[in-house]
Amino acid sequence: MKRSLCWKLLAVVMSFSGCLVASESEWVPAEVGKPQSTYGWGPYTSEGAALSDRALERFGWSLGGGCLLQPHAQALGLYDDNAFLNTRAQGQASQGDFYTIVTPGAMLLYGAPRQDYLFVDYSVDFSTLNATNSNLFDGQNLTAGLGHKGSKSQLSISHQYREVRDIDVQVGSRLKRKTNTTTFGIDDRVTSKTTVGLIGRYMDNRFDESIYSDYRDYMAGGRLSWQMLPKTSLYGQASHGWVDVDEKREAFGSAQYDEVALGIHGRPRPRLETSGQVGVQHRYFEDARVADILREVGSLQIAGEPLELFRSWVNLSAGLRPAVNASGYTVFDTRAEPGISRRLFTDRLTGSLSGVWGRTEYIGAGGGASGAASVSQTYDGRVDSYWGLNANIDYWIGRYWCVGMGYSYINNTSNADTRSGGSQATDMSSYDAGRWMIRVSFNR
């Protein structure tokens, strides 16, 4: 069969990898090194640009030549009892709102998720939410990826554009965010158990509201992995990165960082999955008025099936990123997210329960902006503590349709409520909110 142009290009790239070594090892994907993201709220919140094995189980139309078109859709009915995160300290009345989100989309796939593939996935959000500057079109998601796994080499490239209006539980507001994330990874086996590779990442975060600071975070690095078990790899990673606040390298709050980490990926036991890394990051700033930061960072996921009908997991993370609501400050966020799911009475019915416990600390100095004294009095030493619960139950109708319902609760307590900037308190951030959801999905 004649190869398409894209696979000819892929073959040229991979021809640099050299000779073959037979192996059934568990490769370390490029996504393992991705930074911690903001906490997404809701039982059906998901992130990531990787192609899962689930893609081969979906309904689709064959277009010939190994291409598959897979339509998908989701409809949500939501009720937020505090739709705009009005704060307790200000004595504001919580404003509830019921709205719907309908998300149709389609994925074009060529290849197999665990071997060689190309895919493009696009979906659009239509919402009835009654919010400032909102309209029926309320967001979109475009994901594209390329992957190749050979006996000696591996290549993965992915890009995701996400435009969404939702509650940001750490900023403490409903806002519209646009993000572009590109990841790249190439690894080459140098011995039967050792692999060397290069990784790269580019992230661009933009907000519709001008009071929040846009920023870019991009890095390049290398890693060395060792196949400890047939399906488990250990790796060491070193990288250098840049953070541009307001899209300017010299802006107040822009920084560079060096990071080293140790990680694990694979299945050390048949019913246990591990993925992630822990390390140290040294962040230093372009403006000398902002002191260097040295903190432990990482993201570790552990999941397994301890019993026949159960699945449990825990995600642990710690990360640094610019405080988009305070110029010159950096957020250090740590959190734990345990969860459990179980099939109930029948294979078609599944229930899940998860939680989140986190702490957000503001580090730095805000001396570079107008009104800096007010900002400093509010954010110096600011700590937010938050916790939440997610619960959902889903029933599969046949192989492709699913109906479900869920509930989420989030509670944030901030010491910023007791601070004052000038004559008035600023950025009151203690709140709690609940969200009910009903869901119908096809091919998801």
Side-chain angles (χ1 to χ4, degrees):
M1 182 182 295
K2 186 177 179 180
R3 289 183 177 180
S4 64
L5 175 60
C6 60
W7 285 108
K8 288 181 180 179
L9 293 175
L10 178 59
V12 171
V13 172
M14 299 312 300
S15 66
F16 291 99
S17 297
C19 62
L20 302 179
V21 177
S23 174
E24 296 181 355
S25 67
E26 189 77 11
W27 291 91
V28 180
E31 287 80 9
V32 166
K34 71 179 183 179
Q36 180 208 49
S37 61
T38 57
Y39 172 62
W41 192 43
Y44 299 109
T45 300
S46 62
E47 298 180 22
L51 186 64
S52 69
D53 292 341
R54 166 72 178 143
L56 287 183
E57 301 174 3
R58 295 173 175 168
F59 169 79
W61 295 296
S62 176
L63 303 180
C67 290
L68 190 67
L69 179 64
Q70 299 178 322
H72 54 80
Q74 177 174 265
L76 292 172
L78 305 97
Y79 176 76
D80 288 351
D81 63 15
N82 189 1
F84 300 95
L85 297 189
N86 292 333
T87 63
R88 297 189 301 264
Q90 289 173 313
Q92 298 174 340
S94 299
Q95 179 180 342
D97 200 352
F98 175 81
Y99 56 100
T100 60
I101 301 176
V102 178
T103 308
M107 180 171 72
L108 181 63
L109 169 67
Y110 177 69
R114 294 192 64 83
Q115 196 63 41
D116 295 337
Y117 63 83
L118 285 169
F119 78 96
V120 178
D121 194 348
Y122 179 76
S123 61
V124 59
D125 298 332
F126 297 101
S127 173
T128 62
L129 177 65
N130 183 21
T132 304
N133 298 324
S134 65
N135 50 46
L136 185 62
F137 173 80
D138 208 37
Q140 56 186 322
N141 184 74
L142 173 65
T143 306
L146 177 152
H148 171 82
K149 286 186 179 181
S151 56
K152 185 181 185 293
S153 56
Q154 172 183 262
L155 171 71
S156 62
I157 304 173
S158 67
H159 179 79
Q160 184 179 46
Y161 171 74
R162 184 69 175 124
E163 178 181 344
V164 62
R165 182 189 301 275
D166 200 1
I167 287 174
D168 188 309
V169 299
Q170 292 176 352
V171 173
S173 179
R174 182 179 290 276
L175 50 83
K176 193 158 190 175
R177 177 195 302 264
K178 300 174 184 177
T179 60
N180 278 284
T181 304
T182 302
T183 60
F184 167 83
I186 184 168
D187 295 272
D188 189 75
R189 190 169 298 280
V190 293
T191 71
S192 60
K193 290 182 176 292
T194 307
T195 303
V196 295
L198 298 174
I199 55 173
R201 183 190 66 242
Y202 176 85
M203 297 180 63
D204 181 57
N205 298 268
R206 301 188 181 189
F207 303 88
D208 276 11
E209 293 82 356
S210 59
I211 61 174
Y212 302 113
S213 298
D214 301 337
Y215 71 93
R216 295 184 296 233
D217 186 325
Y218 44 102
M219 73 84 174
R223 66 181 170 208
L224 175 66
S225 62
W226 172 62
Q227 185 182 333
M228 178 180 65
L229 297 171
K231 292 189 175 183
T232 306
S233 293
L234 298 177
Y235 65 93
Q237 181 173 300
S239 60
H240 180 80
W242 300 261
V243 179
D244 297 346
V245 176
D246 293 325
E247 303 178 6
K248 298 177 183 177
R249 178 89 291 273
E250 69 280 0
F252 186 71
S254 293
Q256 298 185 49
Y257 60 86
D258 298 307
E259 183 175 318
V260 292
L262 295 175
I264 185 172
H265 174 74
R267 285 181 171 268
R269 300 181 64 86
R271 290 193 173 189
L272 180 64
E273 305 166 18
T274 58
S275 178
Q277 61 190 42
V278 292
V280 177
Q281 183 181 125
H282 175 218
R283 183 169 295 213
Y284 45 98
F285 296 82
E286 304 300 323
D287 195 302
R289 290 172 291 179
V290 185
D292 293 3
I293 299 173
L294 182 65
R295 289 296 173 99
E296 300 82 7
V297 296
S299 180
L300 180 65
Q301 301 86 40
I302 303 171
E305 296 84 26
L307 299 173
E308 185 66 27
L309 302 178
F310 284 87
R311 179 173 176 81
S312 59
W313 63 89
V314 61
N315 299 332
L316 306 173
S317 60
L320 292 162
R321 66 178 181 277
V324 300
N325 48 344
S327 177
Y329 283 81
T330 299
V331 165
F332 179 59
D333 182 68
T334 56
R335 64 176 178 258
E337 300 171 82
I340 188 169
S341 65
R342 188 187 191 278
R343 283 177 284 170
L344 305 172
F345 313 115
T346 172
D347 288 348
R348 295 181 180 272
L349 187 65
T350 303
S352 300
L353 180 66
S354 62
V356 59
W357 288 268
R359 184 177 186 271
T360 301
E361 178 184 354
Y362 286 76
I363 308 169
S370 59
S374 173
V375 173
S376 296
Q377 291 178 36
T378 304
Y379 286 92
D380 282 347
R382 171 176 165 175
V383 176
D384 294 0
S385 299
Y386 60 91
W387 64 275
L389 294 172
N390 297 315
N392 64 282
I393 187 168
D394 295 288
Y395 181 76
W396 286 89
I397 304 172
R399 190 171 182 179
Y400 307 116
W401 288 91
C402 181
V403 295
M405 64 179 298
Y407 175 75
S408 292
Y409 176 79
I410 188 72
N411 183 294
N412 185 80
T413 301
S414 174
N415 65 2
D417 295 340
T418 61
R419 307 291 183 86
S420 62
S423 60
Q424 296 183 341
T426 60
D427 198 21
M428 312 293 277
S429 297
S430 294
Y431 63 83
D432 63 295
R435 168 179 287 179
W436 288 95
M437 285 185 177
I438 55 175
R439 172 181 181 250
V440 179
S441 68
F442 169 72
N443 231 23
R444 290 178 68 105

